[in-house]
Amino acid sequence: MTKGRAWKFGDDIDTDLILPARFLNLSSGQELAKVCFLDFRPEFPKEISPGDVIVAGRNFGCGSSREHAPLAIKSAGVSVVIAASFARIFYRNAFNIGLPLLESAEACERIRDGERLQVDLAKGSIKSLETGETIRARPIPEFMQKLVESGGLVEYIKKNKIQKEKRV
């Protein structure tokens, strides 16, 4: 369960809006966090707080397949991205680095920018701490939850390899 402020975005938020191409030479999460959404919402890198939530419309993360985009979002402190739908490659890249995503068209329609939310990833519930209203999202599949809990695909594989070796 996580709590944070909603950062509201519309449809078709592409990877160039998330992370401008001129910053693709950066590699550390800390550096990427400082330029996340810099051209689109310049206040984002300065005002984001750990646990905050991105709420967006359709086709979030479209555009190029750069892995830098979900890494910048996660490194900025975003706990979850909720959108009506996600670009396929962004979806995989996000879970591969341990950034959870929830799909909910209703959340995009009803949640306001700046609204305080409580999100339960396992149940797929999004509760407004201001109105008390609860919105349902499609829960994250169990395996994808394990990826997030492990910190991403690489960490999941390392963890399971060590456990497997201990059994042998």
Side-chain angles (χ1 to χ4, degrees), residues 11-159:
D11 295 335
D12 301 314
I13 301 300
D14 67 33
T15 53
D16 286 325
L17 293 175
I18 297 168
L19 186 73
R22 68 184 180 278
F23 297 116
L24 289 177
N25 61 329
L26 302 177
S27 59
S28 83
Q30 188 176 21
E31 293 173 318
L32 292 169
K34 292 177 185 176
V35 295
C36 188
F37 290 110
L38 186 62
D39 293 345
F40 191 60
R41 286 192 70 176
E43 76 281 10
F44 185 87
K46 295 174 189 141
E47 296 178 14
I48 186 83
S49 295
D52 281 358
V53 177
I54 289 176
V55 179
R58 295 181 324 272
N59 203 25
F60 186 88
C62 59
S64 66
S65 62
R66 62 181 70 134
E67 294 172 343
H68 289 70
L71 181 58
I73 291 170
K74 181 181 178 186
S75 298
V78 171
S79 63
V80 60
V81 179
I82 303 165
S85 65
F86 294 92
R88 186 174 181 184
I89 293 174
F90 181 90
Y91 187 88
R92 282 305 314 175
N93 285 339
F95 279 101
N96 284 345
I97 62 148
L99 174 65
L101 309 176
L102 288 175
E103 291 182 314
S104 172
E106 184 181 1
C108 177
E109 294 169 9
R110 299 179 85 149
I111 294 171
R112 295 176 320 274
D113 193 55
E115 191 169 352
R116 303 271 312 145
L117 304 174
Q118 178 178 299
V119 181
D120 186 325
L121 297 172
K123 292 180 181 175
S125 68
I126 307 153
K127 181 178 180 179
S128 169
L129 297 176
E130 295 172 18
T131 67
E133 177 183 18
T134 299
I135 298 169
R136 295 278 170 217
R138 185 178 318 161
I140 298 173
E142 185 178 338
F143 175 70
M144 305 297 260
Q145 286 182 38
K146 289 178 183 178
L147 289 180
V148 170
E149 290 164 6
S150 297
L153 181 61
V154 171
E155 294 304 315
Y156 174 83
I157 291 170
K158 285 180 187 177
K159 177 182 171 185

